[in-house]
Amino acid sequence: MNTSADSRRFNPVLNTDAPAIKVTDLVRDFGRFQLGPLDLSIPAGYVTGLVGANGAGKTTLLKLLLGLQTADAGNMSLLGQPVGDNNLAVREDIGVVFDAPFVLPDWTISAAGKALAPFYSRWDTALFEALLNRFHLTQSAQVKSLSRGESTKLMLALAMSHQPRLLLLDEPTSGLDPATRRDLLDLFAEFMAADANHTILFSTHLTSDLERIADHIRVLSHGRLVEAGTLDEVVERYAIVRGPRRALTPKNRTAICGLHERTDIFDGLIAAADTSGFGLDVVIDPATLDDIVVHLSTAEAEVSL
C-alpha cells in the first residue's frame, strides 16, 4: 500500500501528547446543511486524511478552523490555542492551501511572494525560490495565467515558505495529473520527515492519495463524523460482501451498511467481525478506503432522509 511517500517511515518518534487540532460540540447550520454536532481530534506529528463525498462538510470545517466562517456553537483550537483569539504566533505556524489561489490574479508569482513575506517572521526567500524552481514556475508569470496544477504549486510554495508546523490542505491534488500528484505527495512526505511535530490535515475525496501518505483517517458524511482511527485500523474494521439477493435474510440485512441492491445481486459494507453471519453463496473481500467512504456516506444519507 505504502510507497516512498510514507510519512510513517520517516517519523519514527512522534509527539502524541497534545492534539494539533481539537474540535468539541461544533455546529455550523446553513439551513439546507448542518455541520455537526462534531467532536474531532487531529494528532500532532501525523498526516490525517479528512475524507468524504462532495458536500460532506470538509471545506466548511477547514474554513471554521481558520476563522473564515463563524460557528453557531462549539469550541475549536489549533496548536493548543483557541480559534478566534487572533494569535499571530499561531497563525505563523499554519500553512493553508485551498483549491483556488488566495492572491490577486494580476500579480506575478514574484510579487505574490513579496506581498506575503512581511507577514511572517520566518519567511525564507531562498526556500520560496527553491520551491518555485522545483515546481518549474517562472517568477514573472502572472497568477491568472497559471494552470490548475501550477496554481496549486504556487499556493504550496507560499504556504511552506514561512516554515509552518501545521499544513491545512483542501483538495490539493484534485484535478491534477498523476505525475504532479506524485510530486506533491513526495513534498508532503519531505515536510513530515523534516520535523517529528509537523502535522498535515489533508482534505480530499481521492482516497488513493491518502493510502500512500496518511497515518490517520477521519470520515465525514453529511456533516457528521462517521469513522475515525489510524488508516490501518479503519480499513481492517470492514469488509465488502456481495452475492445473490436470495442470500439476504432479515437478520443479515441489518449487518450491512450502505446496502446496494440490483435486480439479482447485492453488495454492501459489513464489520469484519460479522462475516460469519453470511453463508457460502456470498463473496467477502477486504474493504478499500474508497469502499468505506462510499458505503458509510450512503448509509448516513439514508438515515438523514
PDB file of all heavy atoms in Angstrom, residues 249-272:
ATOM      1  N   THR A 249     -31.093 -12.125   4.280  1.00  0.00           N
ATOM      2  CA  THR A 249     -32.112 -12.512   5.256  1.00  0.00           C
ATOM      3  C   THR A 249     -32.431 -11.295   6.119  1.00  0.00           C
ATOM      4  O   THR A 249     -31.641 -10.343   6.163  1.00  0.00           O
ATOM      5  CB  THR A 249     -31.612 -13.645   6.157  1.00  0.00           C
ATOM      6  OG1 THR A 249     -30.546 -13.147   6.993  1.00  0.00           O
ATOM      7  CG2 THR A 249     -31.112 -14.836   5.333  1.00  0.00           C
ATOM      8  N   PRO A 250     -33.569 -11.302   6.797  1.00  0.00           N
ATOM      9  CA  PRO A 250     -33.857 -10.165   7.678  1.00  0.00           C
ATOM     10  C   PRO A 250     -32.745  -9.911   8.692  1.00  0.00           C
ATOM     11  O   PRO A 250     -32.453  -8.761   9.035  1.00  0.00           O
ATOM     12  CB  PRO A 250     -35.154 -10.595   8.372  1.00  0.00           C
ATOM     13  CG  PRO A 250     -35.818 -11.503   7.386  1.00  0.00           C
ATOM     14  CD  PRO A 250     -34.692 -12.249   6.725  1.00  0.00           C
ATOM     15  N   LYS A 251     -32.077 -10.965   9.133  1.00  0.00           N
ATOM     16  CA  LYS A 251     -31.023 -10.806  10.132  1.00  0.00           C
ATOM     17  C   LYS A 251     -29.750 -10.229   9.532  1.00  0.00           C
ATOM     18  O   LYS A 251     -29.166  -9.271  10.070  1.00  0.00           O
ATOM     19  CB  LYS A 251     -30.724 -12.150  10.794  1.00  0.00           C
ATOM     20  CG  LYS A 251     -29.698 -12.058  11.914  1.00  0.00           C
ATOM     21  CD  LYS A 251     -29.499 -13.401  12.589  1.00  0.00           C
ATOM     22  CE  LYS A 251     -28.480 -13.281  13.724  1.00  0.00           C
ATOM     23  NZ  LYS A 251     -28.271 -14.586  14.414  1.00  0.00           N
ATOM     24  N   ASN A 252     -29.282 -10.806   8.400  1.00  0.00           N
ATOM     25  CA  ASN A 252     -28.004 -10.298   7.890  1.00  0.00           C
ATOM     26  C   ASN A 252     -28.145  -8.957   7.168  1.00  0.00           C
ATOM     27  O   ASN A 252     -27.157  -8.242   6.996  1.00  0.00           O
ATOM     28  CB  ASN A 252     -27.284 -11.339   7.016  1.00  0.00           C
ATOM     29  CG  ASN A 252     -28.012 -11.703   5.736  1.00  0.00           C
ATOM     30  OD1 ASN A 252     -28.783 -10.922   5.184  1.00  0.00           O
ATOM     31  ND2 ASN A 252     -27.760 -12.922   5.255  1.00  0.00           N
ATOM     32  N   ARG A 253     -29.376  -8.605   6.776  1.00  0.00           N
ATOM     33  CA  ARG A 253     -29.591  -7.271   6.200  1.00  0.00           C
ATOM     34  C   ARG A 253     -29.181  -6.178   7.189  1.00  0.00           C
ATOM     35  O   ARG A 253     -28.614  -5.161   6.810  1.00  0.00           O
ATOM     36  CB  ARG A 253     -31.059  -7.070   5.848  1.00  0.00           C
ATOM     37  CG  ARG A 253     -31.457  -7.521   4.465  1.00  0.00           C
ATOM     38  CD  ARG A 253     -32.940  -7.277   4.241  1.00  0.00           C
ATOM     39  NE  ARG A 253     -33.348  -7.657   2.908  1.00  0.00           N
ATOM     40  CZ  ARG A 253     -33.304  -6.849   1.859  1.00  0.00           C
ATOM     41  NH1 ARG A 253     -32.869  -5.614   2.009  1.00  0.00           N
ATOM     42  NH2 ARG A 253     -33.685  -7.269   0.671  1.00  0.00           N
ATOM     43  N   THR A 254     -29.488  -6.387   8.451  1.00  0.00           N
ATOM     44  CA  THR A 254     -29.212  -5.365   9.459  1.00  0.00           C
ATOM     45  C   THR A 254     -27.714  -5.174   9.690  1.00  0.00           C
ATOM     46  O   THR A 254     -27.297  -4.156  10.251  1.00  0.00           O
ATOM     47  CB  THR A 254     -29.887  -5.714  10.785  1.00  0.00           C
ATOM     48  OG1 THR A 254     -29.344  -6.957  11.283  1.00  0.00           O
ATOM     49  CG2 THR A 254     -31.393  -5.860  10.607  1.00  0.00           C
ATOM     50  N   ALA A 255     -26.914  -6.143   9.256  1.00  0.00           N
ATOM     51  CA  ALA A 255     -25.464  -6.041   9.437  1.00  0.00           C
ATOM     52  C   ALA A 255     -24.781  -5.315   8.292  1.00  0.00           C
ATOM     53  O   ALA A 255     -23.584  -5.032   8.359  1.00  0.00           O
ATOM     54  CB  ALA A 255     -24.859  -7.438   9.583  1.00  0.00           C
ATOM     55  N   ILE A 256     -25.536  -4.992   7.225  1.00  0.00           N
ATOM     56  CA  ILE A 256     -24.949  -4.399   6.032  1.00  0.00           C
ATOM     57  C   ILE A 256     -25.138  -2.889   6.060  1.00  0.00           C
ATOM     58  O   ILE A 256     -26.244  -2.387   6.250  1.00  0.00           O
ATOM     59  CB  ILE A 256     -25.579  -4.982   4.754  1.00  0.00           C
ATOM     60  CG1 ILE A 256     -25.396  -6.500   4.725  1.00  0.00           C
ATOM     61  CG2 ILE A 256     -24.962  -4.348   3.522  1.00  0.00           C
ATOM     62  CD1 ILE A 256     -26.119  -7.169   3.568  1.00  0.00           C
ATOM     63  N   CYS A 257     -24.047  -2.187   5.839  1.00  0.00           N
ATOM     64  CA  CYS A 257     -24.057  -0.726   5.806  1.00  0.00           C
ATOM     65  C   CYS A 257     -24.013  -0.270   4.354  1.00  0.00           C
ATOM     66  O   CYS A 257     -23.171  -0.726   3.579  1.00  0.00           O
ATOM     67  CB  CYS A 257     -22.848  -0.202   6.575  1.00  0.00           C
ATOM     68  SG  CYS A 257     -22.745   1.585   6.677  1.00  0.00           S
ATOM     69  N   GLY A 258     -24.914   0.614   3.977  1.00  0.00           N
ATOM     70  CA  GLY A 258     -24.941   1.092   2.600  1.00  0.00           C
ATOM     71  C   GLY A 258     -25.294  -0.014   1.625  1.00  0.00           C
ATOM     72  O   GLY A 258     -24.657  -0.146   0.575  1.00  0.00           O
ATOM     73  N   LEU A 259     -26.302  -0.800   1.949  1.00  0.00           N
ATOM     74  CA  LEU A 259     -26.723  -1.914   1.094  1.00  0.00           C
ATOM     75  C   LEU A 259     -27.126  -1.402  -0.284  1.00  0.00           C
ATOM     76  O   LEU A 259     -27.926  -0.480  -0.430  1.00  0.00           O
ATOM     77  CB  LEU A 259     -27.901  -2.655   1.739  1.00  0.00           C
ATOM     78  CG  LEU A 259     -28.527  -3.799   0.926  1.00  0.00           C
ATOM     79  CD1 LEU A 259     -27.522  -4.909   0.689  1.00  0.00           C
ATOM     80  CD2 LEU A 259     -29.782  -4.318   1.638  1.00  0.00           C
ATOM     81  N   HIS A 260     -26.559  -2.025  -1.323  1.00  0.00           N
ATOM     82  CA  HIS A 260     -26.852  -1.670  -2.707  1.00  0.00           C
ATOM     83  C   HIS A 260     -27.440  -2.896  -3.396  1.00  0.00           C
ATOM     84  O   HIS A 260     -26.738  -3.890  -3.603  1.00  0.00           O
ATOM     85  CB  HIS A 260     -25.573  -1.212  -3.408  1.00  0.00           C
ATOM     86  CG  HIS A 260     -25.791  -0.779  -4.821  1.00  0.00           C
ATOM     87  ND1 HIS A 260     -24.797  -0.811  -5.780  1.00  0.00           N
ATOM     88  CD2 HIS A 260     -26.888  -0.285  -5.453  1.00  0.00           C
ATOM     89  CE1 HIS A 260     -25.274  -0.380  -6.928  1.00  0.00           C
ATOM     90  NE2 HIS A 260     -26.533  -0.052  -6.755  1.00  0.00           N
ATOM     91  N   GLU A 261     -28.727  -2.826  -3.713  1.00  0.00           N
ATOM     92  CA  GLU A 261     -29.419  -3.961  -4.335  1.00  0.00           C
ATOM     93  C   GLU A 261     -29.715  -3.662  -5.795  1.00  0.00           C
ATOM     94  O   GLU A 261     -30.181  -2.580  -6.152  1.00  0.00           O
ATOM     95  CB  GLU A 261     -30.724  -4.249  -3.606  1.00  0.00           C
ATOM     96  CG  GLU A 261     -30.536  -4.698  -2.170  1.00  0.00           C
ATOM     97  CD  GLU A 261     -31.855  -5.060  -1.511  1.00  0.00           C
ATOM     98  OE1 GLU A 261     -32.431  -6.116  -1.866  1.00  0.00           O
ATOM     99  OE2 GLU A 261     -32.321  -4.271  -0.661  1.00  0.00           O
ATOM    100  N   ARG A 262     -29.417  -4.632  -6.651  1.00  0.00           N
ATOM    101  CA  ARG A 262     -29.787  -4.563  -8.050  1.00  0.00           C
ATOM    102  C   ARG A 262     -30.765  -5.695  -8.335  1.00  0.00           C
ATOM    103  O   ARG A 262     -31.315  -6.284  -7.404  1.00  0.00           O
ATOM    104  CB  ARG A 262     -28.528  -4.642  -8.920  1.00  0.00           C
ATOM    105  CG  ARG A 262     -27.645  -3.393  -8.782  1.00  0.00           C
ATOM    106  CD  ARG A 262     -26.341  -3.569  -9.510  1.00  0.00           C
ATOM    107  NE  ARG A 262     -25.464  -4.496  -8.832  1.00  0.00           N
ATOM    108  CZ  ARG A 262     -24.589  -4.157  -7.896  1.00  0.00           C
ATOM    109  NH1 ARG A 262     -24.488  -2.898  -7.521  1.00  0.00           N
ATOM    110  NH2 ARG A 262     -23.820  -5.060  -7.322  1.00  0.00           N
ATOM    111  N   THR A 263     -31.006  -6.014  -9.585  1.00  0.00           N
ATOM    112  CA  THR A 263     -32.045  -6.981  -9.926  1.00  0.00           C
ATOM    113  C   THR A 263     -31.849  -8.316  -9.227  1.00  0.00           C
ATOM    114  O   THR A 263     -32.749  -8.831  -8.561  1.00  0.00           O
ATOM    115  CB  THR A 263     -32.091  -7.206 -11.454  1.00  0.00           C
ATOM    116  OG1 THR A 263     -32.291  -5.949 -12.107  1.00  0.00           O
ATOM    117  CG2 THR A 263     -33.230  -8.149 -11.815  1.00  0.00           C
ATOM    118  N   ASP A 264     -30.657  -8.879  -9.350  1.00  0.00           N
ATOM    119  CA  ASP A 264     -30.419 -10.206  -8.790  1.00  0.00           C
ATOM    120  C   ASP A 264     -29.294 -10.262  -7.787  1.00  0.00           C
ATOM    121  O   ASP A 264     -29.061 -11.311  -7.168  1.00  0.00           O
ATOM    122  CB  ASP A 264     -30.110 -11.210  -9.918  1.00  0.00           C
ATOM    123  CG  ASP A 264     -31.277 -11.372 -10.880  1.00  0.00           C
ATOM    124  OD1 ASP A 264     -32.416 -11.523 -10.397  1.00  0.00           O
ATOM    125  OD2 ASP A 264     -31.036 -11.334 -12.101  1.00  0.00           O
ATOM    126  N   ILE A 265     -28.537  -9.165  -7.626  1.00  0.00           N
ATOM    127  CA  ILE A 265     -27.368  -9.202  -6.760  1.00  0.00           C
ATOM    128  C   ILE A 265     -27.377  -8.024  -5.795  1.00  0.00           C
ATOM    129  O   ILE A 265     -28.152  -7.075  -5.942  1.00  0.00           O
ATOM    130  CB  ILE A 265     -26.063  -9.198  -7.587  1.00  0.00           C
ATOM    131  CG1 ILE A 265     -25.996  -7.941  -8.469  1.00  0.00           C
ATOM    132  CG2 ILE A 265     -25.964 -10.451  -8.448  1.00  0.00           C
ATOM    133  CD1 ILE A 265     -24.707  -7.805  -9.246  1.00  0.00           C
ATOM    134  N   PHE A 266     -26.487  -8.093  -4.819  1.00  0.00           N
ATOM    135  CA  PHE A 266     -26.372  -7.018  -3.838  1.00  0.00           C
ATOM    136  C   PHE A 266     -24.900  -6.873  -3.449  1.00  0.00           C
ATOM    137  O   PHE A 266     -24.081  -7.766  -3.672  1.00  0.00           O
ATOM    138  CB  PHE A 266     -27.201  -7.312  -2.579  1.00  0.00           C
ATOM    139  CG  PHE A 266     -26.548  -8.308  -1.651  1.00  0.00           C
ATOM    140  CD1 PHE A 266     -25.756  -7.875  -0.590  1.00  0.00           C
ATOM    141  CD2 PHE A 266     -26.699  -9.676  -1.851  1.00  0.00           C
ATOM    142  CE1 PHE A 266     -25.130  -8.797   0.260  1.00  0.00           C
ATOM    143  CE2 PHE A 266     -26.088 -10.594  -1.013  1.00  0.00           C
ATOM    144  CZ  PHE A 266     -25.299 -10.154   0.059  1.00  0.00           C
ATOM    145  N   ASP A 267     -24.572  -5.729  -2.868  1.00  0.00           N
ATOM    146  CA  ASP A 267     -23.276  -5.572  -2.222  1.00  0.00           C
ATOM    147  C   ASP A 267     -23.423  -4.558  -1.107  1.00  0.00           C
ATOM    148  O   ASP A 267     -24.385  -3.778  -1.074  1.00  0.00           O
ATOM    149  CB  ASP A 267     -22.197  -5.137  -3.225  1.00  0.00           C
ATOM    150  CG  ASP A 267     -22.447  -3.755  -3.805  1.00  0.00           C
ATOM    151  OD1 ASP A 267     -22.125  -2.763  -3.123  1.00  0.00           O
ATOM    152  OD2 ASP A 267     -22.976  -3.669  -4.925  1.00  0.00           O
ATOM    153  N   GLY A 268     -22.478  -4.557  -0.181  1.00  0.00           N
ATOM    154  CA  GLY A 268     -22.535  -3.630   0.933  1.00  0.00           C
ATOM    155  C   GLY A 268     -21.323  -3.783   1.834  1.00  0.00           C
ATOM    156  O   GLY A 268     -20.486  -4.674   1.640  1.00  0.00           O
ATOM    157  N   LEU A 269     -21.251  -2.905   2.800  1.00  0.00           N
ATOM    158  CA  LEU A 269     -20.153  -2.881   3.755  1.00  0.00           C
ATOM    159  C   LEU A 269     -20.591  -3.552   5.041  1.00  0.00           C
ATOM    160  O   LEU A 269     -21.692  -3.315   5.528  1.00  0.00           O
ATOM    161  CB  LEU A 269     -19.763  -1.425   4.033  1.00  0.00           C
ATOM    162  CG  LEU A 269     -18.513  -1.159   4.862  1.00  0.00           C
ATOM    163  CD1 LEU A 269     -17.263  -1.467   4.040  1.00  0.00           C
ATOM    164  CD2 LEU A 269     -18.501   0.303   5.327  1.00  0.00           C
ATOM    165  N   ILE A 270     -19.723  -4.387   5.587  1.00  0.00           N
ATOM    166  CA  ILE A 270     -20.014  -5.031   6.873  1.00  0.00           C
ATOM    167  C   ILE A 270     -18.808  -4.901   7.785  1.00  0.00           C
ATOM    168  O   ILE A 270     -17.682  -4.692   7.328  1.00  0.00           O
ATOM    169  CB  ILE A 270     -20.386  -6.523   6.711  1.00  0.00           C
ATOM    170  CG1 ILE A 270     -19.219  -7.299   6.085  1.00  0.00           C
ATOM    171  CG2 ILE A 270     -21.659  -6.680   5.893  1.00  0.00           C
ATOM    172  CD1 ILE A 270     -19.432  -8.817   6.065  1.00  0.00           C
ATOM    173  N   ALA A 271     -19.059  -5.037   9.074  1.00  0.00           N
ATOM    174  CA  ALA A 271     -17.948  -5.116  10.016  1.00  0.00           C
ATOM    175  C   ALA A 271     -17.209  -6.429   9.793  1.00  0.00           C
ATOM    176  O   ALA A 271     -17.828  -7.468   9.539  1.00  0.00           O
ATOM    177  CB  ALA A 271     -18.466  -5.034  11.446  1.00  0.00           C
ATOM    178  N   ALA A 272     -15.898  -6.391   9.874  1.00  0.00           N
ATOM    179  CA  ALA A 272     -15.119  -7.614   9.661  1.00  0.00           C
ATOM    180  C   ALA A 272     -15.539  -8.709  10.616  1.00  0.00           C
ATOM    181  O   ALA A 272     -15.493  -9.906  10.274  1.00  0.00           O
ATOM    182  CB  ALA A 272     -13.631  -7.302   9.809  1.00  0.00           C
TER     183      ALA A 272
END
